[in-house]
Amino acid sequence: MGLLYYGSESLPSEMPDRILVHVKLIATTKLRRGESFTLTWRHATGVRDGRTSLWMQPAIPLRFVFDEPEPERLDPDLLHSFAIAANSANGLVIDLREVADAGAALPRERVAAAA
């Protein structure tokens, strides 16, 4: 499990390395351009119920910590889907329960389109 530290919050948020690497690329690309966006995820099964939303903007400190020393391989389709979602009015929405169940994560818009 990777860790996402945001702002002055001392407790990080956990998500699988394979998802966090995609979030990292989307966040750093958008924030480097000065583009803010919302990042939301539904908590994984076994973690407290609910979801977390962050307003990602360049002035707030951000740190990614990965469990694995080697970088995860990027999935071009997932990356494209995350990028489209991050540019939408809803922002990037990830359901970590689906990650555990299906071994992949899809933004809500892609899940709805696939159904």
Side-chain angles (χ1 to χ4, degrees), residues 6-110:
Y6 190 67
S8 61
E9 185 66 36
S10 62
L11 294 175
S13 298
E14 290 185 351
M15 60 182 66
D17 278 3
R18 70 180 185 276
I19 300 306
L20 190 59
V21 71
H22 291 82
V23 169
K24 175 187 171 226
L25 188 58
I26 296 301
T28 56
T29 299
K30 289 188 69 62
L31 297 176
R32 187 178 335 111
R33 295 178 187 157
E35 300 173 5
S36 300
F37 68 104
T38 302
L39 170 61
T40 301
W41 62 93
R42 187 175 297 254
H43 301 155
T45 304
V47 179
R48 69 182 183 355
D49 289 338
R51 67 183 187 281
T52 298
S53 288
L54 300 174
W55 176 244
M56 305 290 285
Q57 60 120 340
I60 298 176
L62 177 62
R63 182 166 53 117
F64 302 91
V65 178
F66 296 92
D67 193 41
E68 295 297 321
E70 296 300 317
E72 291 283 331
R73 172 170 274 148
L74 292 171
D75 176 340
D77 292 334
L78 183 59
L79 190 60
H80 179 74
S81 182
F82 277 16
I84 289 171
N87 287 321
S88 72
N90 289 332
L92 177 52
V93 179
I94 303 167
D95 190 334
L96 293 180
R97 296 172 309 167
E98 290 177 4
V99 173
D101 294 342
L106 301 174
R108 188 171 307 284
E109 290 82 5
R110 189 164 166 198

